[in-house]
Structures are given as structure tokens and as C-alpha cells.
Amino acid sequence: MAFAVGLALASAYPNLPDVSDLTDYRPKLPLRVFSSDGAILGEFGEEHRNLTRLKDIPQHMSNAVLAIEDARFFSHGGIDYIGVMRAAWANLGKLKSQGASTITMQVAKNVYLSNEKTFTRKIYEILLTFKLEHALTKEQILEVYMNQIYLGNRAYGFASASETYFGKPLKSISIAEAAMLAGVPKFPSSANPIANYKRAKKRQLYIIDRMQENGFITEEQAVAARAEDVKVRIGPDTSRVHAEFVAETVRQLIFAQYGEETYTRGLDVYTTIKSAEQQAAYRALRKGIMDYERRQVYRGPEKFIDLPANKDELEEAVDDALAERPDNDEVMAAVVIEANPKKILAMRRNAEQLEITGDGLKPAQSGLSANAAPNIKIRPGAMIRVVKTPKGAWEITQLPEVEGAFVALDPRTGALRALVGGFDFDKNKFNHVTQAWRQPGSSFKPFIYSAGLEKGFSGATVINECAFVF
């Protein structure tokens, strides 16, 4: 029997893949588009990853991973025989089933093998583990693991996961946040902090205990980590620069040159866009379109849903409906719970309630009339759009049907300083700056507006000699 096993191992070893490429680890990296001042404008790729060297990863992040995945990583040769015996004892008995995969074994599986559970694949995994331990240092193996592992929501590696779940760079996370991230690899899709915070929190507390047991943190640090209220980023990143049309234009240009490698070779593209001016252009265009929209006839709610009588079922129904019609930046979606000509009570996600009264009802008075047509009438179950006014009150509104564009050029060099191709890229990807056909009159508007500025007119705005064309 032993001879047969040895013969099988000897015949399989020459068929193992070459692992020397991991000595210069270069994983799939997305295309990233930046402004001239270094702000990220867009990212394109199958795997969202930010390659981070081990020396740049916080020690408590590495320790959290070691505590839960492989506490004896630096002392075993790839196979943790103590862990194997412990897992076998637990699996044979009535204790909770345990695994015995070390970090090196996980690297072998994640980089070179599939997830199929067969005896042959396990043999190859063990052989690859020994080969990796022979070819790479422990630090190199750990670095590959920290960057390669999948952590849900298209995030690969802990640096990307930190941005995804906490909206901050990996170097800035706390022990509590590191412990929560370290718990994600086991169930990356179903138990990440966004999908199931309660489950992620339970696993985080267990990892903090393991960190303390293994001497990675003190008792005081453990107490503080358990008590920390970890804030998870839910919804879109409100701090990002809105330059979706710019990023898409860059993607098309790069794809024309590099093809499918565009999404994997980690290209960083720097544009002439100024992030502050781009954000000002984005806000100015949206404000102009929404101001125009307030003067239009109310077209009615976007859809109607049935509202359950049970409170929990009501909240779930509202959450499901809003998931299908997400917020459009400052133009937010809500479901009407109560409605009359003087007040609307609406609900947003997580049972957040808001009240619309007074001037906030004016844009939709026709929908509150007793004689309103069924498709226009605002009633319980109606899905509406709301915005926050400068005074902090809520106002009913609607998504615009009109479109617009905004472009700013440096007249001395022709460099683009800002470009907004439409009201919302996700709603309509047609770029009204680069793809729309101009009417003849549009070609000389910049000269008229520029002349107007010299005479004190306010029809256009110039920022650092950039003519903003409407």
C-alpha cells in the first residue's frame, strides 16, 4: 500500500506546474484611471485588487490572518501535522467539523488548482505545497496569500477588501477591522460585513480571542477591539470623483491598444482632468438639469408596490423594492407609507422614515390631487424620488428626462480639465460631449460667452482660463 502511494506521488510530481513565477508575484490587476492630481476616476477589471507588499501590510492584519488560518505558519514545513490530527479528531467525533489547510496549501489551491473535492486534487495540493515551501520564503508565501485571496464583492486581497468594506486604505485599519476582514475568506459571499454583518461580527469576536490566545495582542487591546463599533461602508462611495464618462473614454482607448490585457496587466492611466474642477462640473450640470426638472409637470411615481400590514414584512418589502431602483446620487428613492395633500410619510432602506411637507410637496401637487389619474396619484406603495434641500428639508422630485453635457478645455494646450457626458452614466452611457452631433450654433457659443464675460455678463464661467461650454 505504502509502495503504491509512493509510486503515485512520484509519478504526479513531474506534472506539477512551475511555481517560479510566484517569486516575482504579478497577479491580475485592473486598469485604473487617475486625475492629474492623483484622484482615482475609474477602475476596470474582473478582479479588484491593489497589490500590496507584505512590508506595507499592517502587522495586526497579518496576525489576524495567522490567528484564524494558520497560527503555526512560520514553524511548519507546509503541512501542519498537529492541525491535521486536531481536525481529524474533531471530524471523527461529534465536535464541529474543522479543516487542516495551511496558508501554503491555500495558496497552492487558489493559484493553481480548482475547488473540486477529489482525492487526486488533494494529492496535487499537498505536492504543490511542498514545492512552494521549497521555492519561496515564508514571507513570499504569506504575501501571495494576502493579495490573492477572494473576499467577496469582487475584492481580491485585503487591501482591496479594506476599501470595499470600510472605505479606507489597509494601512489605516484597526485591530477590530482587521479581525473582521480576516474572517471573510471562509464565506466570502454570504458572511462578509455587507451581506451579513451579524455573522461577520460573530466571527470577528472569535478571531480577536484567537489573536489574544496566540499572543498577537494584549488583553487590553482585545477588550478595546471587542468594544469597537466597526463602521461598514454600505452603498456607493460618496467621496469619489464622478468622472465615469472620462474613465469609459480612457477604457475604450486603452482597449483599442491592448485588447483583453487591458483588464489584467495593471495599467495606470493619468489624465489631464483636475479632480476639483471635474467635481464642480458634475455638480453644476446636475444642478442645472434638476432646476429645469422642477419646472416640469410631475409625471407620477416610478412604480407601485403592495405594502404588507406586518411591520417586519413591510420593511423587507421596501428594502427589496429600493434595491431594484437605487439612489441616483442626491436624488434618492423612497416608498410612500402615508399620503395626503399636506404631508407625505415615506420609508427608505433600513426602515428610515422621512416626512415631506410644505414647499417640499409643490413639485408634485398634481399627484396629490383627489382627481389625479391612477398612474400619477401619490398613494401608499408609490415609489418616489426625494432630495434634501439646502435648508435640510425633504422635497419630492423625479428623475429627469432631459440630458446635458459639460466640457472644460485649457485653451492654451487643448487639455481636458473636466468632462461630464450626461446626467448619470449608469442611466445613460451615451456621451453627449464626444458622441452627440452639435448644432451649428453650438460651435460659436464659447466665443459669445467669452465676449460676454468681458462685458460683465454671467452666461458662462471661467475657472483658470477654462471655458465651460453649455
Side-chain angles (χ1 to χ4, degrees), residues 33 41-42 44 240-252 273 278 282 285-286 403-406 416 419-435:
V33 183
L41 305 181
F44 302 92
R240 70 187 176 98
V241 179
H242 284 278
E244 294 86 351
F245 289 97
V246 175
E248 173 59 17
T249 302
V250 171
R251 184 199 68 78
Q252 293 176 14
I273 296 294
Q278 175 66 28
Y282 172 81
L285 178 66
R286 286 180 69 93
E403 277 290 358
F406 197 124
L416 282 170
L419 184 151
V420 187
F423 180 79
D424 177 48
F425 180 79
D426 292 329
K427 179 170 170 268
N428 184 356
K429 292 177 172 55
F430 184 84
N431 190 329
H432 293 81
V433 171
T434 62
Q435 294 177 286

Side-chain angles (χ1 to χ4, degrees), residues 214-235:
N214 285 279
F216 291 134
I217 57 175
T218 65
E219 182 179 354
E220 291 76 15
Q221 289 174 313
V223 170
R226 293 187 194 99
E228 183 178 327
D229 182 19
V230 175
K231 301 294 185 182
V232 177
R233 190 180 80 183
I234 299 176

Side-chain angles (χ1 to χ4, degrees), residues 344-363:
I344 289 176
L345 183 65
M347 181 180 290
R348 286 183 35 79
R349 296 188 68 175
N350 298 318
E352 176 193 356
Q353 293 195 5
L354 53 92
E355 189 176 283
I356 310 171
T357 58
D359 291 343
L361 298 173
K362 286 184 178 179

Side-chain angles (χ1 to χ4, degrees), residues 109-283:
K109 181 180 70 173
N110 292 332
V111 176
Y112 296 107
L113 303 173
S114 66
N115 288 321
E116 63 175 343
K117 294 184 177 181
T118 64
F119 180 75
T120 302
R121 198 227 68 184
K122 197 66 179 178
I123 291 295
Y124 273 98
E125 181 182 315
I126 293 171
L127 292 175
L128 270 172
T129 296
F130 289 128
K131 196 169 185 178
L132 285 170
E133 287 279 343
H134 178 73
L136 278 67
T137 66
K138 286 288 189 180
E139 288 75 15
Q140 287 176 314
I141 295 171
L142 184 58
E143 182 179 288
V144 172
Y145 178 87
M146 300 295 282
N147 285 280
Q148 185 72 22
I149 196 73
Y150 177 59
L151 293 153
N153 288 289
R154 296 180 64 195
Y156 287 79
F158 288 94
S160 178
S162 178
E163 296 282 357
T164 298
Y165 296 120
F166 306 132
K168 62 173 68 173
L170 188 61
K171 64 181 181 181
S172 302
I173 65 170
S174 65
I175 292 174
E177 291 167 333
M180 186 164 284
L181 287 182
V184 176
K186 188 172 184 179
F187 303 105
S189 298
S190 60
N192 65 66
I194 293 177
N196 193 328
Y197 182 82
K198 184 177 180 180
R199 191 174 179 185
K201 180 67 179 179
K202 182 178 180 180
R203 188 154 173 80
Q204 176 222 35
L205 294 175
Y206 173 69
I207 292 173
I208 292 172
D209 291 341
R210 292 282 296 157
M211 291 178 75
Q212 183 182 353
E213 290 171 10
N214 285 279
F216 291 134
I217 57 175
T218 65
E219 182 179 354
E220 291 76 15
Q221 289 174 313
V223 170
R226 293 187 194 99
E228 183 178 327
D229 182 19
V230 175
K231 301 294 185 182
V232 177
R233 190 180 80 183
I234 299 176
D237 182 4
T238 56
S239 64
R240 70 187 176 98
V241 179
H242 284 278
E244 294 86 351
F245 289 97
V246 175
E248 173 59 17
T249 302
V250 171
R251 184 199 68 78
Q252 293 176 14
L253 292 170
I254 298 300
F255 186 83
Q257 183 172 351
Y258 292 96
E260 291 298 330
E261 286 189 354
T262 296
Y263 310 118
T264 59
R265 60 184 294 171
L267 297 172
D268 290 339
V269 180
Y270 286 82
T271 67
T272 57
I273 296 294
K274 301 287 186 181
S275 61
E277 293 174 14
Q278 175 66 28
Q279 202 67 353
Y282 172 81
R283 290 296 169 199

Side-chain angles (χ1 to χ4, degrees), residues 6 16 36 117 138 159 199 211 215 223 262 297 323 358 375 390 442 452-453 462 466:
L16 295 177
S36 61
K117 294 184 177 181
K138 286 288 189 180
R199 191 174 179 185
M211 291 178 75
V223 170
T262 296
V297 174
N375 63 319
S442 297
L453 284 172
V462 172
C466 296

